[in-house]
Amino acid sequence: MFDYRAFATRKLSALGPKYLPFADVASAEVPLSRLLRLSLFQVTVGMALVMLVGTLNRVMIVELNVPATLVAVMLALPLVFAPFRTLIGYKSDVHVSALGLRRIPYIWKGTLCQFGGFAIMPFALLVLSGYGEAVDAPRWIGLSAAALAFLLVGAGVHIVQTVGLALATDLVEEADQPKVVGLMYVMLLLGMVASALIYGALLENYTPGRLIQVIQGSAVVTVALNLFAMWKQEARSRDRAQAMKAARPMPFQAAWAELARTKGIMRLLVVICLGTFGFGMADVLLEPYGGQVLGLSVADTTKLTALFASGTLVGFGIASKMLSGTTAPENLGLVGTAIGAPGFGLIIIAALGGGTPVFLLGTFLVGLGAGLFGHATLTAMMRAAPKDRVGLALGAWGAAQATAAGVGVALAGIVRDIIVGLQSPTGNAAHLPYTFVFTVEAISLLVAIAVLLPMARRAVRRTPLPQTNTKRMEAS
Protein backbone atom coordinates (compact mmCIF):
# COMPACT_ATOMS: atom_id res chain seq x y z
CA MET A 1 0.00 0.00 0.00
CA PHE A 2 1.32 3.41 -0.96
CA ASP A 3 2.45 5.44 2.08
CA TYR A 4 1.16 8.95 1.39
CA ARG A 5 2.51 10.28 4.68
CA ALA A 6 6.08 9.20 3.97
CA PHE A 7 5.80 10.56 0.42
CA ALA A 8 4.59 13.95 1.69
CA THR A 9 7.35 14.07 4.29
CA ARG A 10 10.02 13.40 1.65
CA LYS A 11 8.61 16.09 -0.61
CA LEU A 12 8.48 18.68 2.17
CA SER A 13 12.03 17.82 3.20
CA ALA A 14 13.17 18.30 -0.37
CA LEU A 15 11.36 21.63 -0.75
CA GLY A 16 12.67 23.09 2.50
CA PRO A 17 16.33 23.56 1.50
CA LYS A 18 15.29 24.82 -1.94
CA TYR A 19 12.95 27.61 -0.89
CA LEU A 20 14.16 28.32 2.66
CA PRO A 21 17.93 28.96 2.54
CA PHE A 22 18.26 28.39 6.29
CA ALA A 23 16.23 25.14 6.43
CA ASP A 24 19.11 22.85 5.39
CA VAL A 25 20.98 23.74 8.58
CA ALA A 26 19.39 20.63 10.06
CA SER A 27 21.30 17.37 10.38
CA ALA A 28 20.79 13.92 11.86
CA GLU A 29 22.31 15.14 15.14
CA VAL A 30 20.39 18.45 15.18
CA PRO A 31 17.07 17.99 13.33
CA LEU A 32 15.04 20.95 12.13
CA SER A 33 12.38 20.24 14.75
CA ARG A 34 14.95 20.81 17.50
CA LEU A 35 16.11 24.09 15.99
CA LEU A 36 12.55 25.29 15.55
CA ARG A 37 11.83 24.41 19.17
CA LEU A 38 14.91 26.36 20.30
CA SER A 39 13.81 29.33 18.20
CA LEU A 40 10.75 29.74 20.43
CA PHE A 41 12.88 31.96 22.68
CA GLN A 42 12.85 34.47 19.81
CA VAL A 43 9.05 34.27 19.74
CA THR A 44 8.91 35.34 23.40
CA VAL A 45 11.34 38.17 22.64
CA GLY A 46 9.04 39.30 19.82
CA MET A 47 6.04 39.13 22.18
CA ALA A 48 7.81 41.33 24.72
CA LEU A 49 8.83 43.90 22.10
CA VAL A 50 5.30 44.17 20.72
CA MET A 51 3.85 44.46 24.22
CA LEU A 52 6.26 47.22 25.29
CA VAL A 53 6.72 49.25 22.11
CA GLY A 54 3.29 48.67 20.61
CA THR A 55 0.46 47.87 23.01
CA LEU A 56 1.61 49.51 26.25
CA ASN A 57 3.11 52.49 24.43
CA ARG A 58 -0.29 53.38 22.97
CA VAL A 59 -2.37 52.43 26.05
CA MET A 60 -0.28 54.46 28.49
CA ILE A 61 -0.34 57.60 26.33
CA VAL A 62 -3.92 57.47 25.05
CA GLU A 63 -6.04 55.55 27.57
CA LEU A 64 -4.05 56.23 30.79
CA ASN A 65 -3.00 59.82 29.95
CA VAL A 66 0.64 59.25 30.89
CA PRO A 67 2.84 62.04 29.43
CA ALA A 68 4.57 60.91 26.24
CA THR A 69 7.93 62.01 27.66
CA LEU A 70 7.58 59.63 30.62
CA VAL A 71 6.55 56.79 28.33
CA ALA A 72 9.58 57.47 26.12
CA VAL A 73 11.85 57.35 29.17
CA MET A 74 10.32 54.00 30.21
CA LEU A 75 10.81 52.60 26.72
CA ALA A 76 14.43 53.74 26.86
CA LEU A 77 15.10 52.07 30.23
CA PRO A 78 15.95 48.66 28.66
CA LEU A 79 18.80 50.46 26.88
CA VAL A 80 20.46 50.82 30.28
CA PHE A 81 20.99 47.06 30.21
CA ALA A 82 22.04 46.83 26.54
CA PRO A 83 25.80 47.38 27.12
CA PHE A 84 25.78 44.48 29.60
CA ARG A 85 24.99 42.05 26.74
CA THR A 86 28.75 41.78 26.19
CA LEU A 87 29.27 40.72 29.82
CA ILE A 88 26.33 38.29 29.69
CA GLY A 89 27.67 36.66 26.53
CA TYR A 90 31.09 36.27 28.12
CA LYS A 91 29.64 34.82 31.33
CA SER A 92 27.74 32.21 29.33
CA ASP A 93 31.01 31.29 27.55
CA VAL A 94 32.81 30.51 30.82
CA HIS A 95 29.97 29.56 33.15
CA VAL A 96 30.74 26.57 35.37
CA SER A 97 28.00 24.39 36.81
CA ALA A 98 28.00 20.95 38.39
CA LEU A 99 26.31 19.52 35.29
CA GLY A 100 28.52 21.27 32.72
CA LEU A 101 25.77 23.57 31.45
CA ARG A 102 26.80 26.97 30.09
CA ARG A 103 23.96 28.66 28.22
CA ILE A 104 20.79 27.21 29.76
CA PRO A 105 21.22 28.78 33.24
CA TYR A 106 21.41 32.26 31.72
CA ILE A 107 18.41 31.73 29.45
CA TRP A 108 16.47 30.71 32.55
CA LYS A 109 17.63 33.82 34.44
CA GLY A 110 16.52 35.98 31.54
CA THR A 111 13.17 34.21 31.48
CA LEU A 112 12.67 34.96 35.17
CA CYS A 113 13.40 38.65 34.49
CA GLN A 114 10.80 38.69 31.72
CA PHE A 115 8.26 36.95 33.96
CA GLY A 116 9.02 39.32 36.85
CA GLY A 117 8.46 42.37 34.68
CA PHE A 118 5.16 41.04 33.35
CA ALA A 119 4.12 40.13 36.91
CA ILE A 120 4.69 43.67 38.19
CA MET A 121 3.17 45.41 35.18
CA PRO A 122 -0.55 44.67 35.93
CA PHE A 123 -0.29 46.26 39.39
CA ALA A 124 1.37 49.35 37.88
CA LEU A 125 -1.44 49.65 35.32
CA LEU A 126 -4.06 49.20 38.05
CA VAL A 127 -2.66 52.22 39.87
CA LEU A 128 -2.29 54.32 36.72
CA SER A 129 -5.83 53.58 35.55
CA GLY A 130 -7.45 53.92 38.98
CA TYR A 131 -9.16 50.60 38.29
CA GLY A 132 -10.97 48.94 41.20
CA GLU A 133 -9.52 49.44 44.66
CA ALA A 134 -6.42 51.17 43.26
CA VAL A 135 -8.34 54.42 42.69
CA ASP A 136 -6.78 56.12 45.75
CA ALA A 137 -3.20 54.90 45.25
CA PRO A 138 -0.57 57.61 44.58
CA ARG A 139 0.19 57.93 40.88
CA TRP A 140 3.95 57.97 41.45
CA ILE A 141 3.75 54.40 42.72
CA GLY A 142 2.22 53.30 39.44
CA LEU A 143 4.84 55.15 37.40
CA SER A 144 7.71 53.70 39.47
CA ALA A 145 6.31 50.17 39.20
CA ALA A 146 5.80 50.57 35.44
CA ALA A 147 9.40 51.75 35.03
CA LEU A 148 10.66 48.74 37.01
CA ALA A 149 8.50 46.41 34.91
CA PHE A 150 9.86 47.87 31.64
CA LEU A 151 13.43 47.54 32.94
CA LEU A 152 12.99 43.89 33.99
CA VAL A 153 11.32 42.84 30.75
CA GLY A 154 13.99 44.65 28.72
CA ALA A 155 16.81 43.06 30.73
CA GLY A 156 15.24 39.63 30.26
CA VAL A 157 14.96 40.18 26.52
CA HIS A 158 18.64 41.14 26.25
CA ILE A 159 19.78 38.12 28.29
CA VAL A 160 17.57 35.56 26.55
CA GLN A 161 18.36 36.77 23.05
CA THR A 162 22.13 37.02 23.54
CA VAL A 163 22.58 33.62 25.17
CA GLY A 164 19.93 31.93 23.02
CA LEU A 165 21.74 32.92 19.84
CA ALA A 166 25.02 31.68 21.33
CA LEU A 167 23.41 28.33 22.13
CA ALA A 168 22.01 28.07 18.59
CA THR A 169 25.48 28.60 17.10
CA ASP A 170 26.92 26.01 19.52
CA LEU A 171 24.60 23.33 18.14
CA VAL A 172 25.61 23.60 14.47
CA GLU A 173 28.80 23.52 12.46
CA GLU A 174 30.59 26.80 11.78
CA ALA A 175 29.60 26.65 8.11
CA ASP A 176 25.91 26.51 9.10
CA GLN A 177 25.97 29.37 11.59
CA PRO A 178 24.69 32.01 9.11
CA LYS A 179 21.70 29.80 8.37
CA VAL A 180 20.81 29.21 11.99
CA VAL A 181 21.08 32.94 12.70
CA GLY A 182 18.73 33.60 9.78
CA LEU A 183 16.28 31.04 11.12
CA MET A 184 16.33 32.61 14.60
CA TYR A 185 15.65 36.11 13.30
CA VAL A 186 12.89 34.94 10.98
CA MET A 187 11.21 33.43 14.04
CA LEU A 188 11.63 36.77 15.84
CA LEU A 189 9.80 38.60 13.05
CA LEU A 190 7.10 35.93 12.86
CA GLY A 191 6.67 36.11 16.63
CA MET A 192 6.23 39.88 16.46
CA VAL A 193 3.65 39.66 13.67
CA ALA A 194 1.69 36.84 15.32
CA SER A 195 1.67 38.45 18.77
CA ALA A 196 0.61 41.81 17.31
CA LEU A 197 -2.37 40.16 15.63
CA ILE A 198 -3.29 38.20 18.78
CA TYR A 199 -2.96 41.22 21.06
CA GLY A 200 -5.05 43.28 18.65
CA ALA A 201 -7.82 40.68 18.63
CA LEU A 202 -7.82 40.23 22.42
CA LEU A 203 -7.88 43.96 23.09
CA GLU A 204 -10.44 44.89 20.46
CA ASN A 205 -12.88 45.69 23.29
CA TYR A 206 -10.40 47.40 25.58
CA THR A 207 -10.84 47.51 29.34
CA PRO A 208 -8.13 47.80 32.01
CA GLY A 209 -9.12 44.38 33.31
CA ARG A 210 -8.77 42.80 29.86
CA LEU A 211 -5.32 44.35 29.39
CA ILE A 212 -4.21 42.95 32.75
CA GLN A 213 -5.40 39.48 31.72
CA VAL A 214 -3.46 39.74 28.46
CA ILE A 215 -0.27 40.74 30.29
CA GLN A 216 -0.64 37.93 32.80
CA GLY A 217 -1.23 35.48 29.98
CA SER A 218 1.91 36.76 28.24
CA ALA A 219 3.92 36.08 31.40
CA VAL A 220 2.72 32.47 31.55
CA VAL A 221 3.23 31.89 27.81
CA THR A 222 6.76 33.34 28.02
CA VAL A 223 7.81 30.89 30.74
CA ALA A 224 6.14 27.94 29.01
CA LEU A 225 7.68 28.61 25.58
CA ASN A 226 11.16 29.29 26.96
CA LEU A 227 11.07 26.11 29.07
CA PHE A 228 10.02 24.11 26.02
CA ALA A 229 12.74 25.79 23.97
CA MET A 230 15.46 24.94 26.52
CA TRP A 231 14.41 21.31 27.05
CA LYS A 232 17.33 18.95 26.24
CA GLN A 233 19.14 21.57 24.11
CA GLU A 234 22.43 21.49 26.01
CA ALA A 235 24.03 18.18 26.91
CA ARG A 236 25.02 17.62 30.53
CA SER A 237 28.65 16.70 31.10
CA ARG A 238 30.37 16.52 34.47
CA ASP A 239 33.70 15.95 32.75
CA ARG A 240 33.27 19.25 30.90
CA ALA A 241 32.29 20.90 34.18
CA GLN A 242 35.47 19.68 35.85
CA ALA A 243 37.57 20.78 32.88
CA MET A 244 36.01 24.24 32.85
CA LYS A 245 36.47 24.57 36.61
CA ALA A 246 40.13 23.63 36.35
CA ALA A 247 40.71 25.93 33.37
CA ARG A 248 40.31 29.13 35.42
CA PRO A 249 39.00 31.39 32.64
CA MET A 250 40.53 34.82 32.21
CA PRO A 251 38.68 37.81 33.69
CA PHE A 252 36.14 39.64 31.59
CA GLN A 253 38.38 42.69 31.16
CA ALA A 254 41.18 40.54 29.77
CA ALA A 255 38.81 38.61 27.48
CA TRP A 256 37.31 41.84 26.15
CA ALA A 257 40.78 43.34 25.61
CA GLU A 258 41.79 40.22 23.68
CA LEU A 259 38.67 40.44 21.50
CA ALA A 260 39.18 44.18 20.95
CA ARG A 261 42.73 43.52 19.73
CA THR A 262 41.41 41.18 17.05
CA LYS A 263 42.02 42.79 13.69
CA GLY A 264 38.96 44.60 12.39
CA ILE A 265 36.71 44.08 15.44
CA MET A 266 36.58 47.70 16.59
CA ARG A 267 36.06 48.98 13.06
CA LEU A 268 33.28 46.44 12.64
CA LEU A 269 31.60 47.64 15.86
CA VAL A 270 31.74 51.20 14.55
CA VAL A 271 30.09 50.04 11.33
CA ILE A 272 27.39 48.24 13.32
CA CYS A 273 26.63 51.40 15.30
CA LEU A 274 26.53 53.62 12.22
CA GLY A 275 24.42 51.24 10.15
CA THR A 276 21.98 50.37 12.92
CA PHE A 277 21.61 54.05 13.80
CA GLY A 278 20.86 54.83 10.16
CA PHE A 279 18.30 52.07 9.70
CA GLY A 280 16.80 52.44 13.20
CA MET A 281 15.77 56.10 13.15
CA ALA A 282 13.02 55.33 10.63
CA ASP A 283 11.20 52.92 12.94
CA VAL A 284 9.31 55.63 14.76
CA LEU A 285 8.65 57.97 11.80
CA LEU A 286 7.61 55.91 8.77
CA GLU A 287 3.95 55.58 9.78
CA PRO A 288 3.49 59.24 10.84
CA TYR A 289 5.22 60.30 7.61
CA GLY A 290 2.88 58.20 5.49
CA GLY A 291 -0.19 59.55 7.27
CA GLN A 292 0.72 63.23 7.70
CA VAL A 293 2.62 63.84 4.46
CA LEU A 294 1.20 61.34 1.98
CA GLY A 295 -2.33 61.17 3.37
CA LEU A 296 -2.40 57.41 3.91
CA SER A 297 -5.10 55.93 6.13
CA VAL A 298 -4.44 54.21 9.45
CA ALA A 299 -4.97 50.83 7.81
CA ASP A 300 -2.51 51.67 5.04
CA THR A 301 0.21 52.93 7.38
CA THR A 302 -0.25 49.85 9.59
CA LYS A 303 0.63 47.70 6.58
CA LEU A 304 3.98 49.49 6.33
CA THR A 305 5.26 47.33 9.19
CA ALA A 306 4.43 44.22 7.19
CA LEU A 307 6.11 45.66 4.08
CA PHE A 308 9.25 46.59 6.01
CA ALA A 309 9.30 43.16 7.69
CA SER A 310 8.87 41.47 4.31
CA GLY A 311 11.94 43.28 3.01
CA THR A 312 13.87 42.25 6.12
CA LEU A 313 12.81 38.62 5.69
CA VAL A 314 13.96 38.65 2.07
CA GLY A 315 17.26 40.14 3.23
CA PHE A 316 17.72 37.42 5.84
CA GLY A 317 16.99 34.73 3.26
CA ILE A 318 19.45 36.14 0.72
CA ALA A 319 22.12 36.66 3.38
CA SER A 320 21.74 33.12 4.74
CA LYS A 321 22.19 31.69 1.24
CA MET A 322 25.13 33.89 0.22
CA LEU A 323 27.02 33.66 3.50
CA SER A 324 26.85 29.87 3.34
CA GLY A 325 28.76 30.07 0.05
CA THR A 326 31.82 32.15 -0.78
CA THR A 327 30.54 35.65 -0.04
CA ALA A 328 32.43 37.52 2.68
CA PRO A 329 30.09 39.09 5.28
CA GLU A 330 31.87 42.46 4.92
CA ASN A 331 30.94 42.56 1.23
CA LEU A 332 27.33 41.68 1.95
CA GLY A 333 27.13 44.32 4.68
CA LEU A 334 28.37 46.83 2.13
CA VAL A 335 25.58 45.78 -0.23
CA GLY A 336 23.01 46.20 2.54
CA THR A 337 24.04 49.77 3.33
CA ALA A 338 24.28 50.56 -0.40
CA ILE A 339 20.65 49.44 -0.81
CA GLY A 340 19.40 51.27 2.30
CA ALA A 341 20.78 54.71 1.41
CA PRO A 342 18.91 54.98 -1.94
CA GLY A 343 15.84 53.59 -0.17
CA PHE A 344 15.76 56.65 2.07
CA GLY A 345 16.27 58.79 -1.03
CA LEU A 346 13.11 57.31 -2.55
CA ILE A 347 11.20 57.93 0.69
CA ILE A 348 12.23 61.60 0.54
CA ILE A 349 11.31 61.86 -3.17
CA ALA A 350 7.84 60.49 -2.37
CA ALA A 351 6.95 63.77 -0.62
CA LEU A 352 8.33 65.84 -3.51
CA GLY A 353 6.02 64.39 -6.14
CA GLY A 354 6.98 60.73 -6.28
CA GLY A 355 3.81 59.64 -4.50
CA THR A 356 2.84 56.53 -2.58
CA PRO A 357 4.35 53.89 -4.94
CA VAL A 358 7.81 55.44 -4.59
CA PHE A 359 7.35 55.57 -0.81
CA LEU A 360 6.41 51.89 -0.65
CA LEU A 361 9.38 50.91 -2.84
CA GLY A 362 11.72 52.91 -0.62
CA THR A 363 10.30 51.30 2.52
CA PHE A 364 10.83 47.82 1.08
CA LEU A 365 14.41 48.64 0.05
CA VAL A 366 15.22 49.98 3.52
CA GLY A 367 13.86 46.76 5.05
CA LEU A 368 15.87 44.67 2.57
CA GLY A 369 19.05 46.60 3.32
CA ALA A 370 18.49 46.29 7.07
CA GLY A 371 18.10 42.51 6.77
CA LEU A 372 21.26 42.11 4.71
CA PHE A 373 23.27 44.45 6.94
CA GLY A 374 22.12 42.93 10.24
CA HIS A 375 22.76 39.33 9.21
CA ALA A 376 26.11 40.15 7.58
CA THR A 377 27.52 42.09 10.54
CA LEU A 378 26.41 39.45 13.04
CA THR A 379 28.07 36.73 10.97
CA ALA A 380 31.22 38.84 10.64
CA MET A 381 31.39 39.20 14.44
CA MET A 382 30.99 35.45 14.98
CA ARG A 383 33.67 34.58 12.44
CA ALA A 384 36.14 37.15 13.73
CA ALA A 385 35.88 35.97 17.34
CA PRO A 386 37.78 32.96 18.76
CA LYS A 387 35.71 29.79 18.93
CA ASP A 388 35.51 29.92 22.73
CA ARG A 389 34.38 33.57 22.67
CA VAL A 390 31.24 33.33 20.52
CA GLY A 391 29.01 34.45 23.39
CA LEU A 392 31.25 37.47 24.01
CA ALA A 393 31.16 38.41 20.32
CA LEU A 394 27.39 38.02 20.13
CA GLY A 395 27.04 40.14 23.24
CA ALA A 396 29.23 42.87 21.76
CA TRP A 397 27.17 42.86 18.55
CA GLY A 398 23.93 42.96 20.54
CA ALA A 399 25.15 45.77 22.79
CA ALA A 400 26.24 47.92 19.85
CA GLN A 401 23.11 47.17 17.85
CA ALA A 402 20.61 47.72 20.67
CA THR A 403 22.26 50.90 21.91
CA ALA A 404 22.54 52.44 18.45
CA ALA A 405 18.95 51.52 17.58
CA GLY A 406 17.60 52.99 20.82
CA VAL A 407 19.56 56.21 20.45
CA GLY A 408 18.42 56.47 16.83
CA VAL A 409 14.75 56.08 17.70
CA ALA A 410 14.99 58.62 20.53
CA LEU A 411 16.84 61.19 18.42
CA ALA A 412 14.44 60.76 15.52
CA GLY A 413 11.50 61.74 17.68
CA ILE A 414 13.37 64.59 19.38
CA VAL A 415 14.68 66.09 16.12
CA ARG A 416 11.28 65.82 14.48
CA ASP A 417 9.57 67.60 17.39
CA ILE A 418 12.22 70.34 17.50
CA ILE A 419 11.83 71.12 13.79
CA VAL A 420 8.04 71.09 14.10
CA GLY A 421 8.33 73.56 16.99
CA LEU A 422 10.59 75.86 14.98
CA GLN A 423 8.22 75.96 12.01
CA SER A 424 5.72 78.79 11.78
CA PRO A 425 2.09 77.83 12.50
CA THR A 426 1.14 78.76 8.92
CA GLY A 427 3.92 76.75 7.34
CA ASN A 428 2.82 74.01 4.96
CA ALA A 429 6.10 72.06 4.67
CA ALA A 430 4.83 69.07 6.66
CA HIS A 431 7.47 66.86 5.11
CA LEU A 432 10.43 68.99 6.27
CA PRO A 433 10.96 67.42 9.74
CA TYR A 434 10.75 63.92 8.29
CA THR A 435 12.94 64.77 5.30
CA PHE A 436 15.64 66.07 7.64
CA VAL A 437 15.64 62.86 9.70
CA PHE A 438 15.63 60.61 6.61
CA THR A 439 18.55 62.62 5.21
CA VAL A 440 20.49 62.09 8.44
CA GLU A 441 19.81 58.35 8.12
CA ALA A 442 21.08 58.24 4.53
CA ILE A 443 24.21 60.17 5.55
CA SER A 444 24.81 57.74 8.44
CA LEU A 445 24.63 54.81 6.01
CA LEU A 446 27.03 56.55 3.62
CA VAL A 447 29.51 57.04 6.47
CA ALA A 448 29.09 53.34 7.33
CA ILE A 449 29.93 52.51 3.70
CA ALA A 450 33.08 54.63 3.93
CA VAL A 451 34.20 52.83 7.10
CA LEU A 452 33.27 49.38 5.77
CA LEU A 453 34.78 49.75 2.30
CA PRO A 454 38.43 49.09 3.34
CA MET A 455 37.28 45.97 5.21
CA ALA A 456 35.39 44.73 2.17
CA ARG A 457 38.43 45.25 -0.02
CA ARG A 458 40.62 43.24 2.35
CA ALA A 459 38.06 40.49 2.86
CA VAL A 460 39.34 37.13 1.70
CA ARG A 461 36.74 35.08 -0.12
CA ARG A 462 36.00 31.94 1.79
CA THR A 463 36.56 28.47 0.41
CA PRO A 464 33.32 27.13 -1.11
CA LEU A 465 31.43 25.08 1.44
CA PRO A 466 29.79 21.74 0.64
CA GLN A 467 26.08 22.16 0.01
CA THR A 468 23.68 20.28 2.21
CA ASN A 469 21.82 17.66 0.24
CA THR A 470 18.32 16.38 0.55
CA LYS A 471 19.34 13.08 2.13
CA ARG A 472 20.77 14.95 5.08
CA MET A 473 17.42 16.58 5.64
CA GLU A 474 15.58 13.29 5.28
CA ALA A 475 17.82 11.82 7.99
CA SER A 476 16.54 14.46 10.39
Side-chain angles (χ1 to χ4, degrees):
M1 182 177 180
F2 184 74
D3 190 344
Y4 290 96
R5 183 177 178 181
F7 177 78
T9 301
R10 288 195 299 270
K11 288 297 182 182
L12 288 174
S13 298
L15 288 174
K18 183 177 181 180
Y19 295 104
L20 296 176
F22 42 76
D24 57 350
V25 68
S27 64
E29 295 78 16
V30 187
L32 186 60
S33 59
R34 181 178 175 185
L35 292 175
L36 289 174
R37 182 164 58 84
L38 175 61
S39 69
L40 291 176
F41 80 86
Q42 285 283 61
V43 174
T44 67
V45 169
M47 287 171 50
L49 293 176
V50 170
M51 176 61 72
L52 296 184
V53 180
T55 306
L56 291 178
N57 181 26
R58 178 250 160 80
V59 167
M60 293 179 72
I61 293 176
V62 179
E63 278 77 15
L64 302 182
N65 296 317
V66 178
T69 302
L70 287 178
V71 176
V73 170
M74 291 182 192
L75 289 174
L77 280 176
L79 291 178
V80 175
F81 199 83
F84 291 98
R85 291 179 68 144
T86 307
L87 178 62
I88 294 299
Y90 166 77
K91 288 293 186 181
S92 72
D93 283 336
V94 300
H95 181 72
V96 178
S97 70
L99 298 177
L101 301 176
R102 294 192 304 163
R103 315 292 189 189
I104 293 297
Y106 282 91
I107 298 178
W108 176 240
K109 292 175 183 177
T111 301
L112 291 180
C113 286
Q114 287 177 279
F115 181 83
F118 282 133
I120 295 172
M121 204 171 288
F123 300 100
L125 296 177
L126 279 173
V127 174
L128 291 175
S129 63
Y131 185 74
E133 298 180 359
V135 65
D136 296 325
R139 192 171 177 82
W140 67 266
I141 294 179
L143 292 174
S144 301
L148 178 60
F150 273 68
L151 180 61
L152 284 174
V153 173
V157 164
H158 287 307
I159 296 172
V160 168
Q161 189 175 56
T162 300
V163 183
L165 287 174
L167 176 57
T169 57
D170 289 343
L171 296 178
V172 299
E173 299 293 334
E174 183 179 359
D176 289 330
Q177 287 178 353
K179 297 177 184 178
V180 79
V181 169
L183 175 61
M184 296 296 141
Y185 270 91
V186 166
M187 292 301 292
L188 172 64
L189 292 173
L190 292 179
M192 293 178 67
V193 172
S195 57
L197 294 175
I198 294 172
Y199 289 154
L202 293 175
L203 296 172
E204 186 173 358
N205 298 318
Y206 169 80
T207 64
R210 173 59 65 89
L211 177 61
I212 289 170
Q213 290 175 340
V214 171
I215 295 174
Q216 290 173 332
S218 299
V220 175
V221 171
T222 294
V223 173
L225 290 182
N226 282 355
L227 277 175
F228 187 53
M230 290 185 290
W231 184 254
K232 292 186 177 181
Q233 293 288 2
E234 195 171 27
R236 294 176 295 179
S237 174
R238 295 192 177 184
D239 293 337
R240 183 174 61 199
Q242 293 296 327
M244 292 177 65
K245 187 175 181 180
R248 293 184 180 180
M250 68 175 67
F252 168 73
Q253 293 85 350
W256 169 248
E258 180 182 340
L259 180 66
R261 287 194 298 269
T262 304
K263 186 176 181 180
I265 284 289
M266 298 310 295
R267 178 182 285 265
L268 181 58
L269 288 175
V270 172
V271 169
I272 292 169
C273 290
L274 288 170
T276 305
F277 179 84
F279 285 114
M281 291 182 76
D283 288 348
V284 74
L285 294 184
L286 279 178
E287 292 191 24
Y289 175 78
Q292 187 176 1
V293 178
L294 300 178
L296 299 180
S297 66
V298 175
D300 290 334
T301 56
T302 302
K303 295 175 184 176
L304 289 176
T305 302
L307 181 63
F308 188 92
S310 298
T312 305
L313 282 172
V314 172
F316 281 146
I318 294 174
S320 296
K321 186 70 174 179
M322 297 184 68
L323 292 173
S324 298
T326 60
T327 304
E330 294 84 357
N331 293 334
L332 194 60
L334 191 63
V335 172
T337 50
I339 290 175
F344 284 115
L346 291 176
I347 292 174
I348 294 172
I349 292 173
L352 304 177
T356 302
V358 174
F359 173 57
L360 296 179
L361 176 60
T363 300
F364 179 82
L365 289 179
V366 171
L368 176 63
L372 292 172
F373 177 82
H375 198 333
T377 53
L378 178 55
T379 302
M381 281 294 296
M382 290 191 300
R383 290 180 179 172
K387 290 184 178 180
D388 59 342
R389 294 287 183 266
V390 172
L392 178 63
L394 286 171
W397 177 88
Q401 190 263 354
T403 303
V407 172
V409 168
L411 284 181
I414 293 172
V415 170
R416 183 260 183 197
D417 290 344
I418 290 175
I419 296 177
V420 169
L422 293 176
Q423 284 183 307
S424 64
T426 58
N428 56 2
H431 67 86
L432 184 59
Y434 301 98
T435 299
F436 183 85
V437 173
F438 294 144
T439 302
V440 170
E441 293 187 89
I443 292 173
S444 179
L445 293 182
L446 292 176
V447 175
I449 290 175
V451 178
L452 187 56
L453 194 58
M455 299 178 64
R457 288 175 176 172
R458 293 195 301 265
V460 179
R461 295 179 66 86
R462 298 165 55 215
T463 305
L465 300 172
Q467 298 295 320
T468 307
N469 56 33
T470 304
K471 291 183 179 180
R472 183 184 175 194
M473 287 294 297
E474 290 178 354
S476 65

